[in-house]
Amino acid sequence: MRSSGVAFAALAILLGACANTGLRTLDSQGEGPDEFIVSPAKPLEQPESFAVLPVPTPGGANRTDAQPLSDGAAALGGRLDAPTGPIPGSDGGLVNYTRRFGVSEDIRVTLAEEDADFRRRKARFTQYRIVRVDRYNQAYRSEALDPERIARAFRRAGVPVPSYPPQGR
């Protein structure tokens, strides 16, 4: 009877390891609050005149609703326009410099296909694990940069690296 209990436990562990949860599991693992549920709202503003209020638009945006993309772009000194809209004149020099070697119009599709192929090749034998592992780091380990090796290479080339710890450490 005892051996069947051990066999059942071993079978449960092996079957539990077969779950393919994707590269990154972002669900909450604990009993605590989920910080991604709470979205802060902007403070309420009193209009200059209550007689001249805009017409309500059911289902429309509220002025106090958070606009994280626009707010983030504004915090970084930019603005969020239509992605296919015209390029502002202030960014013309930057855009021309980045296009100096040519532009691939279907870069997003190409990168998505290459990434899917890369993950498929790297994940052939990584789906079956007894313990939980970070599949993202596992798949992209060979693509990661070693900051110490890069800093040493820059220092050997004579490039000052002021933000990195001194060489004596």
Side-chain angles (χ1 to χ4, degrees), residues 35-107:
E35 63 271 14
F36 295 108
I37 291 176
V38 179
S39 177
K42 294 179 182 175
L44 293 176
E45 299 174 358
Q46 183 173 344
E48 294 178 15
S49 169
F50 285 100
V52 194
L53 290 175
V55 177
T57 54
N62 189 335
R63 293 191 308 174
T64 61
D65 289 343
Q67 304 291 330
L69 294 178
S70 301
D71 295 344
L76 294 172
R79 64 179 190 272
L80 190 65
D81 294 331
T84 57
I87 298 169
S90 60
D91 294 338
L94 174 66
V95 171
N96 289 335
Y97 183 76
T98 57
R99 290 183 173 179
R100 69 190 182 280
F101 298 122
V103 176
S104 175
E105 296 298 326
D106 63 340
I107 188 67

